[in-house]
Amino acid sequence: KSHNLLKERRQCKHVSHTDAAAVTQKRPNGVSSRAKVLTIDTMNPTVKKVEYAVRGPIVQRAVELERELSEGIKKPFAEVIKANIGDAHAMGQQPITFFRQVLALCSYPELLNDSTFPEDAKSRARRILQSCGGNSMGSYSASQGIDSVRQDVARYIERRDGGVPCDPDNIYLTTGASDGIVTMLKLLVCGEGATRTGVMISIPQYPLYSAALAELGAVQINYYLNEEKCWSMDISELQRALDEARRHCNPRALCIINPGNPTGQVQSRQCIEDVIRFAAKERLFLMADEVYQDNVYADGCQFHSFKKVLFEMGPEYSNTVELVSFHSTSKCYMGECGFRGGYMEIINMDNEVKAQLTKLVSVRLCPPVPGQALMDLVVNPPQPGEPSYENFIKERTATLSALAEKAKLTEQVLNTVQGISCNPVQGAMYSFPRITISAKAYCKQVHTPDMFYCMKMLEETGICLVPGSGFGQKDGTYHFRMTILPPTDKLKILLNKVKEFHQKFTQQYT
Amino acid sequence: KSHNLLKERRQCKHVSHTDAAAVTQKRPNGVSSRAKVLTIDTMNPTVKKVEYAVRGPIVQRAVELERELSEGIKKPFAEVIKANIGDAHAMGQQPITFFRQVLALCSYPELLNDSTFPEDAKSRARRILQSCGGNSMGSYSASQGIDSVRQDVARYIERRDGGVPCDPDNIYLTTGASDGIVTMLKLLVCGEGATRTGVMISIPQYPLYSAALAELGAVQINYYLNEEKCWSMDISELQRALDEARRHCNPRALCIINPGNPTGQVQSRQCIEDVIRFAAKERLFLMADEVYQDNVYADGCQFHSFKKVLFEMGPEYSNTVELVSFHSTSKCYMGECGFRGGYMEIINMDNEVKAQLTKLVSVRLCPPVPGQALMDLVVNPPQPGEPSYENFIKERTATLSALAEKAKLTEQVLNTVQGISCNPVQGAMYSFPRITISAKAYCKQVHTPDMFYCMKMLEETGICLVPGSGFGQKDGTYHFRMTILPPTDKLKILLNKVKEFHQKFTQQYT
């Protein structure tokens, strides 16, 4: 399997310049028409394998429908609701006032003279600007990220993890978490045929992983989360996937998303320990995607960082297991997707490889400085006693409790629908309910039943979801991913429309 | 040559998990010590080939020296001057007031009620925010970039190019120009052995290109700019390079940087026409890096966009030649490197490939929204009659004329030095003078004479430059790249220190 993958990966149709001359044709007006240099056959074939369902065909159709609506074309709905993407602000979530005040001060430092800005915002802004070349956000930062921000990130991690030490030198600021994840995969993926790098990813997964692996020509090794046990990880399933993969590739890395996307599960501490033990025993490089670390809603659930658990397992593990953890400004209570802020913490990386990593990130100069500034505020928010503290806490609490409420509401409503079964949304920003639909529900243009279902839902209700096939699911099962982000009253309407649609659909396609 | 490159590219040392168990050793304290999963031997070998001199070893040393200075360690200089990187704000250049006002308004829309902000800044901010999901810069934008920004970019291009039409659908906003360049190369590079994609780049070049080609495992095809003719392009040299490359790879693309980096040459209209004709005849995909398009200083020089020249050459060319042009917010008069704003314009791309491009950029969601907002202001600046117009013109003129003055000053002073020969700095932000030094000027640790020269200059004067070997140069010649960005009085001091150092160095190493 990996043999063919690699062969395909390398080949592209070679049209020599002499061939091209031969396909030159003259059109009636005398203008030459001839084969382009870059065509679907001559382009890099690995790019063709890349899919990203979160912004795939269904979203393109949603955008078309929006355009048609704006042109006055009548539809069975008044608006398109984009419940496909984890974009909180687009759904009306408000930014944290303090963060935006500091960003404004950093953008236009004249405002440091403006008495309407609180002192703590000003002192944060001054600190950030002092760390920027020429005291300007317009300077490139160091490629690893602004020094003082990395120090603040390290302190945040130490506080979050109950004192487990964090070395700022192990922190790399990134352009969103996606950037860090792709960079790490670039370092890891090599070899060919039976030695081609394999990377274990959860099914269902966030399709950045499958897209990156496709582009890099790595072998994607699927391990299935257990839907019956609220999407938890099973070590026996990890073992099965790994043993099977070893027959045809070189598995080297294990990716976990916790809290999970699309599933929302918050893994137990025991489970995280088991995964670490598994990775140590089987010599796998761990990649822990923790961008939803503040999005934990369910009673009895708690976020445990892989870093903390690793260190609490003692030096046999904490000195040896190679781990990279990722965070972002896009989710949690911030929802600042557009700023592309993020960081990764590197644990136990070989020093020579670290030097290569540092060199690699230097080519792209630096992550966006506004995103770095924002990350600084996320890890160093207002403290008790500071002027902005109360309002900050109020805003953060309001956002997180609204999300918790909506998580519960979503689970409840969807579970009243015959043929929809929704696991508790323990964390993150999505529900990933299972839908019981006929395997015969498809048409000539749309081959997968869940895509057919979602397309119909879009056309009939204006609600844009992503079919489970975009994330991966067990054969013969169907799901969709829907965000919990619309405001509560809108979400209620949405959920009821989904309910109605499902009932109608299952009647129509039995 | 390309055979070996590809073979190396794929291989990496495969340490099976059973091997690894065998190398587990117990340390005295009972803690296992064993080979890491990710080592210099087992990592992706193409990453190891990547070099980026602009932030390479000499800069790392400069950062160390800065640290030592800050710790009070005595040096022969009071400060380190980083004349290695095109970062204008770091060197004291001021941002455009209007741009920063709009960015502040977009970050913290409360300021729309603040009477100290001019109306035109407010209306620009409102327009940008209205184009953002939830009216927030924190939302993801469309992956191709905010619609209204792309429309503004298209109008800018049409104005710049004397009315040549621009379709907003051909505009992709990017995370700096580097992002767009790498994305295009990803689409282009494939094949193996004799069909491996070759990409023509100028020598000297901006080392993003060589780094990206190394990482992608493409064949780098060097064509030499003519130092004797002020770094102009020679079609006969392009032909030579291409013919030679065709013997061992599949050349498909031709990259040009105009105005040039590091050389500063501004290509004549005739030259651009000749290059287009060459690309058409030889079936090469053109990549035109035009990030310095406003940085043109020398009398008789003018920026001509490849797009405009292409269209003025008539439909035989404008309907067929595949061209991508790149621009950025990092240079020109803006210098907003940290915001990572950019765009590319795609001409005559195959529709299916364009769909693949659109899909590829969707995986990374979107470029940073502050950078997109900034690009909007660059292409849609204050107009005559608007409140901010006069100040905008004043600031832009001051910045560009200071750069022109410093370009001339640099050329003049360096040319007074025996053994330094500096071509006119026609544009961009750098001088790339040739230095006559002994080929025997090196030591055990530093093998290339120009690197040895630059390292010594750094240690003795605190001035950080980049050796010509980082950009490429004809065998047996040596150069360095120095920015023209420090403030004029500081630049004068710098240039004199360079002069003194050179005289001392050439005495010492004859």
Side-chain angles (χ1 to χ4, degrees):
Chain A
K1 190 172 165 182
S2 64
H3 269 286
N4 290 339
L5 184 70
L6 204 65
K7 232 169 123 75
E8 274 176 50
R9 187 171 75 83
R10 294 192 301 255
Q11 281 165 1
C12 58
K13 194 164 152 207
H14 171 54
V15 180
S16 76
H17 63 291
T18 44
D19 293 347
V23 307
T24 302
Q25 311 141 3
K26 283 258 182 227
R27 288 193 185 138
N29 61 359
V31 171
S32 297
S33 147
R34 54 182 190 171
K36 289 186 190 290
V37 176
L38 188 58
T39 69
I40 198 76
D41 294 318
T42 65
M43 70 174 281
N44 180 354
T46 65
V47 171
K48 288 190 282 190
K49 292 188 177 13
V50 167
E51 296 300 334
Y52 183 67
V54 176
R55 283 209 151 165
I58 198 160
V59 182
Q60 285 163 14
R61 179 61 187 146
V63 169
E64 266 174 40
L65 288 169
E66 273 178 324
R67 200 174 302 135
E68 290 177 19
L69 269 175
S70 75
E71 288 163 9
I73 298 172
K74 267 241 157 271
K75 295 283 166 199
F77 46 86
E79 62 170 328
V80 171
I81 299 170
K82 300 245 202 60
N84 56 296
I85 186 168
D87 187 341
H89 290 201
M91 290 286 114
Q93 183 177 305
Q94 293 302 301
I96 297 290
T97 302
F98 180 78
F99 292 174
R100 294 307 193 87
Q101 286 175 328
V102 178
L103 285 168
L105 288 160
C106 288
S107 299
Y108 187 53
E110 277 284 310
L111 292 169
L112 291 165
N113 301 320
D114 183 326
S115 56
T116 63
F117 283 82
E119 262 316 305
D120 49 1
K122 289 181 178 181
S123 75
R124 289 289 200 295
R126 281 189 197 101
R127 184 159 177 276
I128 290 167
L129 289 174
Q130 269 155 27
S131 313
C132 295
N135 296 333
S136 167
M137 284 216 293
S139 287
Y140 290 121
S141 75
S143 300
Q144 199 169 334
I146 294 170
D147 228 52
S148 62
V149 177
R150 296 191 295 113
Q151 286 165 29
D152 289 349
V153 169
R155 281 193 281 266
Y156 160 82
I157 291 172
E158 287 178 349
R159 283 193 315 268
R160 180 197 69 191
D161 294 346
V164 174
C166 176
D167 182 351
D169 201 48
N170 287 337
I171 303 300
Y172 286 71
L173 300 184
T174 57
T175 306
S178 300
D179 175 34
I181 291 162
V182 170
T183 296
M184 285 310 310
L185 289 174
K186 277 188 194 177
L187 292 175
L188 279 158
V189 174
C190 56
E192 55 171 322
T195 69
R196 190 71 188 159
T197 300
V199 177
M200 300 180 70
I201 66 175
S202 61
I203 296 299
Q205 48 105 30
Y206 172 54
L208 164 74
Y209 289 90
S210 46
L213 295 178
E215 197 193 315
L216 293 169
V219 178
Q220 177 175 325
I221 303 168
N222 295 337
Y223 66 87
Y224 290 81
L225 299 177
N226 191 334
E227 185 161 18
E228 275 69 51
K229 290 189 185 162
C230 205
W231 298 114
S232 59
M233 292 175 76
D234 248 312
I235 300 300
S236 57
E237 166 57 15
L238 289 180
Q239 193 73 64
R240 176 211 64 76
L242 180 64
D243 292 343
E244 199 279 330
R246 280 199 168 120
R247 288 156 56 195
H248 60 83
C249 73
N250 178 23
R252 306 184 74 202
L254 168 55
C255 302
I256 301 102
I257 309 172
N258 183 52
N261 177 4
T263 58
Q265 93 279 9
V266 178
Q267 300 296 353
S268 69
R269 196 194 186 292
Q270 184 60 53
C271 171
I272 293 171
E273 256 194 51
D274 292 344
V275 171
I276 291 171
R277 207 165 274 122
F278 176 79
K281 167 172 148 295
E282 301 292 350
R283 294 196 73 252
L284 297 167
F285 192 105
L286 268 175
M287 289 177 52
D289 180 341
E290 300 176 327
V291 302
Y292 297 100
Q293 52 191 265
D294 296 336
N295 298 114
V296 175
Y297 316 124
D299 289 331
C301 286
Q302 194 186 332
F303 171 72
H304 303 278
S305 73
F306 265 78
K307 161 78 178 303
K308 183 185 75 156
V309 175
L310 175 66
F311 274 69
E312 288 174 352
M313 288 168 69
E316 182 190 349
Y317 295 95
S318 62
N319 281 348
T320 59
V321 174
E322 291 149 81
L323 165 70
V324 182
S325 310
F326 304 92
H327 196 18
S328 160
T329 59
S330 301
K331 312 295 176 186
C332 296
Y333 63 91
M334 303 82 73
E336 298 281 13
C337 308
F339 281 84
R340 315 316 285 114
Y343 75 72
M344 55 186 183
E345 182 186 13
I346 317 272
I347 298 296
N348 290 324
M349 182 179 278
D350 175 277
N351 282 332
E352 287 182 288
V353 175
K354 194 156 177 286
Q356 291 290 321
L357 167 62
T358 303
K359 179 190 71 175
L360 185 62
V361 301
S362 80
V363 180
R364 300 296 291 273
L365 288 147
C366 70
V369 174
Q372 297 190 45
L374 192 42
M375 183 53 90
D376 194 49
L377 303 172
V378 169
V379 300
N380 187 21
Q383 291 303 302
E386 288 185 317
S388 302
Y389 177 71
E390 274 181 38
N391 199 45
F392 167 72
I393 291 298
K394 182 159 151 261
E395 289 176 352
R396 186 177 72 180
T397 305
T399 292
L400 288 176
S401 54
L403 285 167
E405 186 187 304
K406 293 186 286 188
K408 196 99 196 103
L409 174 71
T410 297
E411 178 198 341
Q412 277 169 352
V413 176
L414 290 177
N415 277 327
T416 65
V417 186
Q418 179 115 351
I420 298 187
S421 168
C422 186
N423 266 327
V425 177
Q426 295 179 336
M429 290 180 173
Y430 316 94
S431 62
F432 194 69
R434 183 161 167 187
I435 49 176
T436 306
I437 54 176
S438 164
K440 297 205 177 106
Y442 62 88
C443 67
K444 216 169 42 168
Q445 295 83 19
V446 181
H447 316 291
T448 52
D450 52 0
M451 174 63 105
F452 182 72
Y453 176 97
C454 290
M455 279 297 204
K456 277 212 151 276
M457 187 180 314
L458 176 62
E459 300 287 342
E460 292 176 22
T461 69
I463 300 167
C464 181
L465 311 176
V466 191
S469 43
F471 303 87
Q473 56 204 345
K474 275 208 165 117
D475 273 345
T477 67
Y478 307 108
H479 301 78
F480 63 73
R481 188 187 83 165
M482 177 171 144
T483 70
I484 61 170
L485 296 174
T488 308
D489 44 359
K490 203 167 217 173
L491 183 63
K492 284 182 180 154
I493 296 169
L494 223 74
L495 290 166
N496 280 313
K497 285 194 175 191
V498 170
K499 178 172 185 163
E500 280 168 20
F501 169 82
H502 185 89
Q503 288 162 343
K504 182 164 163 240
F505 184 93
T506 45
Q507 271 181 340
Q508 217 174 336
Y509 300 94
T510 336
Chain B
K1 186 173 169 183
S2 65
H3 269 287
N4 289 340
L5 183 71
L6 205 65
K7 232 170 124 77
E8 274 177 50
R9 186 170 76 81
R10 294 192 303 253
Q11 281 168 359
C12 57
K13 197 162 148 209
H14 172 53
V15 180
S16 78
H17 64 291
T18 45
D19 293 346
V23 308
T24 302
Q25 311 141 1
K26 283 259 182 226
R27 288 196 185 133
N29 64 358
V31 172
S32 298
S33 145
R34 54 183 191 171
K36 289 187 191 286
V37 177
L38 188 57
T39 69
I40 199 75
D41 293 318
T42 65
M43 70 174 281
N44 180 353
T46 64
V47 171
K48 289 190 282 190
K49 292 187 177 14
V50 168
E51 296 300 336
Y52 182 67
V54 176
R55 282 206 152 165
I58 198 161
V59 182
Q60 284 163 13
R61 179 62 187 145
V63 170
E64 266 173 39
L65 287 170
E66 273 179 325
R67 201 175 301 135
E68 290 177 19
L69 268 177
S70 75
E71 289 163 10
I73 298 171
K74 265 236 156 276
K75 297 283 166 196
F77 46 86
E79 62 171 328
V80 171
I81 299 171
K82 299 242 201 63
N84 57 296
I85 186 169
D87 187 340
H89 290 201
M91 291 286 115
Q93 182 176 303
Q94 294 301 300
I96 297 290
T97 303
F98 179 78
F99 292 174
R100 294 307 193 85
Q101 287 175 331
V102 177
L103 286 168
L105 288 160
C106 288
S107 300
Y108 187 52
E110 277 284 310
L111 292 169
L112 291 165
N113 301 320
D114 184 328
S115 55
T116 63
F117 282 83
E119 263 316 306
D120 49 2
K122 290 182 177 180
S123 76
R124 288 291 198 293
R126 283 189 197 101
R127 185 158 176 278
I128 289 166
L129 289 174
Q130 269 155 29
S131 311
C132 295
N135 296 333
S136 167
M137 283 217 290
S139 286
Y140 289 121
S141 75
S143 299
Q144 199 171 334
I146 295 171
D147 228 51
S148 61
V149 178
R150 296 192 294 111
Q151 286 164 31
D152 289 348
V153 168
R155 280 193 280 267
Y156 160 81
I157 290 173
E158 288 180 348
R159 282 193 316 269
R160 181 198 68 190
D161 294 346
V164 173
C166 178
D167 182 351
D169 202 47
N170 288 336
I171 303 299
Y172 287 71
L173 300 183
T174 57
T175 306
S178 301
D179 175 34
I181 290 162
V182 170
T183 297
M184 285 310 310
L185 290 174
K186 276 187 193 178
L187 292 176
L188 279 158
V189 175
C190 57
E192 56 168 323
T195 68
R196 190 71 188 159
T197 300
V199 177
M200 300 181 69
I201 66 175
S202 60
I203 296 300
Q205 48 105 31
Y206 171 54
L208 164 74
Y209 290 91
S210 47
L213 295 178
E215 197 193 317
L216 292 170
V219 178
Q220 178 177 324
I221 303 167
N222 296 337
Y223 66 87
Y224 290 81
L225 299 177
N226 191 334
E227 186 162 16
E228 275 69 51
K229 289 191 186 160
C230 206
W231 299 114
S232 58
M233 291 174 78
D234 248 310
I235 299 301
S236 58
E237 166 58 16
L238 289 180
Q239 192 74 63
R240 176 210 65 76
L242 181 65
D243 292 342
E244 198 280 330
R246 282 201 166 119
R247 288 157 57 196
H248 60 84
C249 73
N250 177 23
R252 308 183 73 199
L254 169 55
C255 301
I256 302 102
I257 309 172
N258 183 50
N261 177 4
T263 58
Q265 92 279 9
V266 177
Q267 300 295 352
S268 68
R269 197 194 185 292
Q270 184 60 54
C271 173
I272 293 171
E273 254 194 53
D274 292 343
V275 170
I276 291 171
R277 207 166 275 120
F278 177 79
K281 166 170 146 294
E282 301 293 349
R283 294 194 76 250
L284 296 168
F285 192 106
L286 268 176
M287 288 175 54
D289 180 340
E290 299 176 329
V291 303
Y292 298 99
Q293 54 191 263
D294 296 335
N295 298 113
V296 176
Y297 316 123
D299 289 332
C301 286
Q302 194 187 332
F303 171 72
H304 302 277
S305 74
F306 266 77
K307 161 81 178 301
K308 184 187 75 156
V309 176
L310 175 65
F311 274 69
E312 290 174 352
M313 289 168 70
E316 181 190 349
Y317 295 95
S318 61
N319 282 348
T320 60
V321 174
E322 291 148 78
L323 166 71
V324 182
S325 309
F326 305 92
H327 195 18
S328 161
T329 60
S330 302
K331 313 296 177 186
C332 294
Y333 63 91
M334 303 82 73
E336 299 280 13
C337 309
F339 281 84
R340 315 315 285 112
Y343 75 71
M344 53 186 184
E345 181 187 13
I346 316 271
I347 297 296
N348 289 326
M349 183 180 278
D350 176 276
N351 282 332
E352 287 183 287
V353 176
K354 193 157 178 285
Q356 291 290 321
L357 167 62
T358 302
K359 179 190 72 174
L360 185 63
V361 300
S362 80
V363 179
R364 298 298 290 274
L365 288 147
C366 71
V369 174
Q372 296 190 46
L374 193 41
M375 184 53 90
D376 192 47
L377 303 173
V378 169
V379 300
N380 186 21
Q383 293 301 302
E386 288 185 318
S388 303
Y389 177 71
E390 274 182 37
N391 198 45
F392 167 72
I393 292 297
K394 184 160 151 262
E395 290 175 350
R396 185 179 73 180
T397 305
T399 294
L400 288 175
S401 53
L403 285 168
E405 186 186 302
K406 292 185 286 189
K408 196 99 196 105
L409 173 71
T410 298
E411 178 199 341
Q412 278 170 352
V413 175
L414 291 178
N415 278 325
T416 65
V417 185
Q418 177 114 352
I420 298 185
S421 168
C422 186
N423 266 326
V425 177
Q426 294 179 337
M429 292 181 172
Y430 317 96
S431 61
F432 194 68
R434 182 161 169 188
I435 49 176
T436 305
I437 53 176
S438 164
K440 297 208 178 106
Y442 63 87
C443 69
K444 215 166 49 158
Q445 295 84 21
V446 181
H447 317 290
T448 52
D450 53 359
M451 174 62 106
F452 182 72
Y453 176 97
C454 290
M455 280 296 205
K456 278 215 148 275
M457 185 178 317
L458 175 61
E459 301 286 342
E460 292 177 21
T461 70
I463 300 168
C464 181
L465 310 177
V466 191
S469 44
F471 303 87
Q473 56 203 347
K474 275 209 165 114
D475 272 345
T477 67
Y478 307 109
H479 302 78
F480 63 73
R481 189 188 82 164
M482 178 172 143
T483 70
I484 60 168
L485 296 174
T488 308
D489 44 358
K490 203 167 218 178
L491 183 63
K492 283 180 181 156
I493 296 170
L494 223 74
L495 290 166
N496 279 315
K497 285 193 175 188
V498 169
K499 177 172 187 164
E500 281 167 17
F501 169 82
H502 184 90
Q503 288 161 342
K504 184 168 162 236
F505 184 91
T506 45
Q507 271 182 339
Q508 218 174 336
Y509 300 93
T510 335

